């Protein structure tokens, strides 16, 4: 386990990547995304932050707090229902109008639901879209800005402002929970269950980050399992279920990760480039179901999953 001291010490070195780092936090209006955005703003010099979500009131509160934490930061809210890929494209365009480089793409948008398949108007299951497709859409759209962020501008380097480039993508979901895929129905049109949905989102994320890392070596790709973190994830539960979960969280407190710590640890995972594993646990240690992954690596399933993902994008976004 990486100690919290090491995490904090590493986070304080983020300044070496220069002033004006741009961080995009999809799901930055609550929980792990919000806590990581806070850690980013606390440590970076004059950062620019985009919080993406639906809750405008919550975003205003966070913007006020973060601006107090670092008066040189610029925080913007991009209101977007990211379960819809065409809305994701709009959000990306609004960021691309302002930023040539994106240093950190942090994706933690998600829901906890026990409902069955819940189709969006674009024909994808909402949860699978939030946990996998829409995150990958952000990633593909912002790849030019992420690649640009890995390069250091010579004049900035000569002026001693920047020592190296930072370009990092991190998706918060469930590394380690990989399982077998229904290969002829990856979007689970006909094979939907809560278990299959979790398995597909997790396994397709792990395979895709590994596949993309090969073709974009200057960008760091991470899929993380955050452990059990008390956040707003249960907000859609009814009162009884929420109360039960609160009791459960109180009893299980010694085994949970405080949300502030989770934010610090995820900033660490995002900025630790050298030797960074692609699949990590809440404690910074490598994770991943190697039995499943090595079979899929051998069969080049990652490439097939990525082709499927691009086909879905083409069919919905043109
Ligand atoms: N917390 C845990 O113990 C835990 C454990 C394992 C895995 N995870 C995974 O980690 C991720 C982050 O969880 P968290 O605990 O930080 O959750 P959270 O506090 O509930 O935050 C979820 C974020 O997703 C955004 N979101 C949800 N639906 C959206 C939509 N349709 N459009 C735009 N934004 C949307 C929410 O923003 P708005 O409300 O503003 O829309 C919020 O910012 C999730 O994918 C979760 O499955 C969490």
């Amino acid at each position: 386990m990486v100690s919290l001291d090491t995490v904090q010490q590493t986070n304080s070195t983020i300044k070496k990547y220069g002033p004006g780092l741009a961080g995009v936090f999809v799901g930055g209006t609550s929980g792990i995304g919000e806590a990581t955005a806070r850690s980013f703003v606390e440590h970076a010099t004059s950062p620019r932050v985009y919080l993406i979500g639906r809750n405008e009131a919550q975003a205003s509160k966070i913007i006020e707090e973060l601006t107090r934490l670092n008066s040189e930061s610029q925080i913007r809210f991009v209101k977007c229902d990211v379960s819809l890929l065409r809305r994701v494209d709009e959000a990306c365009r609004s960021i691309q109008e302002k930023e040539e480089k994106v240093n950190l793409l942090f994706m933690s948008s998600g829901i906890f639901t026990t409902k069955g398949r819940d189709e969006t108007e674009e024909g994808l299951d909402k949860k699978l879209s939030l946990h996998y497709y829409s995150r990958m859409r952000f990633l593909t759209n912002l790849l030019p800005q992420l690649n640009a962020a890995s390069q250091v501008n010579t004049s900035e380097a000569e002026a001693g402002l920047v020592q190296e480039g930072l370009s990092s993508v991190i998706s918060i979901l469930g590394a380690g929970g990989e399982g077998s895929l229904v290969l002829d129905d990856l979007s689970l049109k006909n094979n939907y269950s809560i278990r299959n949905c979790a398995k597909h989102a997790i396994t397709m994320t792990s395979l895709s980050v590994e596949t993309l890392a090969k073709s974009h070596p200057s960008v760091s790709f991470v899929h993380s399992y955050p452990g059990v973190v008390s956040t707003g994830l249960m907000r859609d539960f009814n009162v009884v279920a929420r109360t039960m979960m609160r009791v459960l969280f109180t009893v299980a407190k010694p085994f949970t990760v405080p949300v502030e710590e989770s934010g610090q640890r995820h900033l660490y995972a995002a900025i630790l480039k050298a030797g960074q594993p692609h699949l990590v646990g809440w404690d910074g240690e490598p994770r991943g179901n190697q039995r499943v992954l090595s079979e899929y690596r051998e069969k080049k399933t990652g490439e097939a999953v990525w082709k499927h993902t691009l086909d879905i994008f083409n069919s919905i976004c043109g």
Side-chain angles (χ1 to χ4, degrees), residues 4 28 58 87 160 168-169 176 190 200 223 225 234 289 307:
L4 202 50
Q58 180 64 11
R87 296 285 99 77
S168 185
V169 177
N190 305 309
H200 272 227
H223 172 198
Y225 167 66
M234 315 288 169
N289 182 338
K307 183 184 176 305

Side-chain angles (χ1 to χ4, degrees), residues 129-145:
S129 177
L130 282 170
H131 289 182
Y132 177 71
Y133 293 106
S134 76
R135 296 184 188 192
M136 294 302 129
R137 185 68 184 169
F138 270 104
L139 203 175
T140 41
N141 283 346
L142 295 177
L143 259 176
Q145 286 70 33

